[in-house]
Amino acid sequence: MDQDQSIPVNHDDFIHDIAYNFYGTRLATCGSDRCIKIWDWNRQTGLWILNESISAHDSSVVRLSWAHPEFGQVLASCSLDCTVRIWVEQETNLKNSGTRWRGLTPLTDSKAAVHSIAFAPEYTSLSIATASSDGKVRLYSPTDSVRLENWTVNCFIDFVPGGATDADGPLSVSWCKSRFSSPHMLVVGGSRHKNVKIFQLLNNAFVELAELAQYDSHVLDVDWAPTMGRSYHLIATACADGHIRIYKFWSDPELAGTRLTGSLFVRDGDDDDDGDEEARDQPRDDASDDDSISDDSISDDDDDDDSDDSDASVSGGGGGDEGDAESEGSDAAATGSVFGGTAGQKRRTRATAAAAAAAAAAATAAGPRSELVSDISVQPSVPIRRIRWNSTGTLLVSSSDDGVVRMWRMTPSGTWREMAAVSAESA
């Protein structure tokens, strides 16, 4: 697929979302026609072939999410009809037969429209988070991990205390994808409070870790980037004021105390290690003092050697004794220099360790923290509806109300710039 391709999806109304599966070989689309269409990519022809068209909900279908393939071919959808549906492929049934995808029992706990859903990362058990306009984020899991028939609410986040309504705007949710960081973290944004918060699932309850910021306009979407070995996380927010804001987030208090770097690929604090190596190469005053003491002792030895030389000259011999004295003087100087350098290095090591311990203690006391690293203003200023990171967290894609999809990448100087733009009218 090296060229642009148009897919005749044949939806009868607006398309609200598209979602690729884990391998990128299957595509699901949904829209205001209340339908979900699933497409398979044909490797031989390079075309997308319709697998099934599903009459999914009683109102507009606004978001889709695929589960990891280790759980099978499982798709979730949410709608303005206040429900979430789970769909499981029946591989023994024919494609386009109307029975290829079986809908499970709808999840009907929400009292308002459900605008965002996201399956948890594959390293956790099969579960899905749903965010609805009633101000709550719910976490569902199946009672039977094989049949997947019944899903129950394990816990929830009361994101808007006192509740909310559809008029307060949508909520959005995104999981942290890293299995090596603090597990079970997710970010939630939106509604009338115009804020973005990070939560962690601990002992079957969500605990708030941090609040990224307060906004002057509605947050329409959030997305948590894959870490790919970085010591910090990247979280992007899409806002109704036409801005994309990118944050660095440190979940580990010790890493929160490291110095910031402008690169996405350099671990924080690496430059400091280089600086320590340069410092070790520099001469130190304490070493010089030790050397001067050794030099004094060497001078005394030289005076004694001079006296010995005079006595030797009177007796008419002693050339070998003079050479031995010079050798002993050189050995003493070398010994003094070595011991002086070792003591200085030990003092520097202790000072560095003490500074690192103090920084770690301060970071632990402060806890997880975040920092705004970029505020991108999209021109023309229109609401940003959707944002997504690529698989390495180095490229950000946004879509807005002007019908343009934009791609953003960070430059070596640390600023984010638009790399490409695709207009719906030119596509």
Side-chain angles (χ1 to χ4, degrees):
M1 299 179 64
D2 296 330
Q3 58 183 3
D4 296 336
Q5 183 180 121
S6 177
I7 305 174
V9 293
N10 296 324
H11 277 280
D12 296 331
D13 210 328
F14 290 111
I15 297 175
H16 291 290
D17 195 22
I18 62 173
Y20 287 93
N21 69 346
F22 179 80
Y23 299 108
T25 57
R26 176 164 280 177
L27 175 67
T29 62
C30 64
S32 292
D33 59 359
R34 303 174 293 175
C35 290
I36 299 173
K37 294 180 184 290
I38 300 174
W39 308 79
D40 295 328
W41 182 53
N42 188 304
R43 293 181 179 273
Q44 284 71 32
T45 63
L47 300 176
W48 290 92
I49 309 301
L50 182 64
N51 177 295
E52 187 74 288
S53 180
I54 308 170
S55 296
H57 289 266
D58 296 330
S59 186
S60 298
V61 186
V62 294
R63 194 68 68 93
L64 302 168
S65 179
W66 288 96
H68 192 273
E70 70 178 64
F71 302 113
Q73 293 299 307
V74 182
L75 177 69
S77 62
C78 64
S79 170
L80 299 183
D81 64 4
C82 309
T83 65
V84 176
R85 299 291 302 268
I86 308 294
W87 308 89
V88 180
E89 184 178 22
Q90 309 298 303
E91 297 183 355
T92 57
N93 295 346
L94 295 176
K95 296 181 179 180
N96 292 308
S97 63
T99 59
R100 179 77 177 187
W101 291 81
R102 180 170 61 94
L104 306 181
T105 303
L107 311 181
T108 59
D109 296 279
S110 175
K111 304 305 179 183
V114 184
H115 287 275
S116 183
I117 52 176
F119 276 104
E122 69 277 6
Y123 62 84
T124 66
S125 59
L126 179 62
S127 57
I128 185 171
T130 69
S132 56
S133 292
D134 61 1
K136 289 182 172 58
V137 176
R138 298 172 176 86
L139 181 66
Y140 291 88
S141 295
T143 56
D144 187 341
S145 58
V146 177
R147 294 176 57 84
L148 305 181
E149 286 290 348
N150 297 313
W151 294 64
T152 58
V153 179
N154 291 340
C155 55
F156 66 91
I157 300 172
D158 194 6
F159 190 75
V160 181
T165 63
D166 290 333
D168 295 315
L171 291 182
S172 54
V173 62
S174 179
W175 287 93
C176 171
K177 286 84 172 174
S178 173
R179 68 173 68 228
F180 303 109
S181 181
S182 301
H184 302 99
M185 293 190 299
L186 55 78
V187 58
V188 183
S191 193
R192 64 168 183 250
H193 289 282
K194 305 174 184 177
N195 52 11
V196 178
K197 295 182 179 181
I198 296 174
F199 298 87
Q200 184 176 15
L201 183 62
L202 297 172
N203 299 323
N204 292 325
F206 281 106
V207 178
E208 182 179 337
L209 293 183
E211 182 174 355
L212 294 188
Q214 289 278 352
Y215 289 85
D216 295 331
S217 64
H218 284 285
V219 178
L220 301 179
D221 197 18
V222 295
D223 197 33
W224 198 311
T227 56
M228 296 301 292
R230 292 189 293 268
S231 60
Y232 54 85
H233 299 274
L234 287 174
I235 299 174
T237 64
C239 305
D241 60 0
H243 284 249
I244 300 172
R245 295 172 175 89
I246 301 175
Y247 293 85
K248 281 183 179 179
F249 172 70
W250 291 264
S251 59
D252 190 335
E254 293 185 0
L255 295 178
T258 57
R259 182 177 61 81
L260 303 183
T261 58
S263 173
L264 289 175
F265 309 101
V266 177
R267 184 180 177 87
D268 295 340
D270 284 351
D271 291 341
D272 292 339
D273 294 339
D274 296 339
D276 291 341
E277 292 179 1
E278 294 177 358
R280 286 194 291 270
D281 295 336
Q282 298 296 326
R284 298 291 183 179
D285 293 339
D286 50 8
S288 301
D289 295 340
D290 293 337
D291 292 343
S292 64
I293 296 174
S294 300
D295 292 341
D296 293 340
S297 62
I298 294 172
S299 300
D300 294 340
D301 292 341
D302 290 342
D303 293 340
D304 295 339
D305 292 340
D306 293 340
S307 301
D308 294 339
D309 292 344
S310 301
D311 296 339
S313 61
V314 171
S315 60
D321 293 338
E322 180 181 0
D324 293 340
E326 291 177 354
S327 176
E328 292 175 359
S330 299
D331 292 341
T335 302
S337 177
V338 169
F339 283 106
T342 303
Q345 185 174 358
K346 288 181 179 179
R347 284 192 290 271
R348 291 193 299 274
T349 302
R350 287 194 295 270
T352 302
T364 303
R369 71 179 181 88
S370 62
E371 178 182 347
L372 178 65
V373 294
S374 183
D375 188 347
I376 305 171
S377 178
V378 179
Q379 298 298 328
S381 181
V382 293
I384 311 299
R385 293 292 176 180
R386 199 67 53 85
I387 48 174
R388 285 295 178 269
W389 292 97
N390 66 342
S391 59
T392 59
T394 56
L395 184 71
L396 184 65
V397 181
S398 67
S399 62
S400 51
D401 278 0
D402 59 356
V404 178
V405 175
R406 297 175 173 87
M407 285 163 278
W408 310 86
R409 185 186 293 274
M410 194 185 78
T411 64
S413 62
T415 60
W416 288 79
R417 293 187 178 180
E418 181 180 321
M419 306 302 296
V422 179
S423 174
E425 296 179 354
S426 61

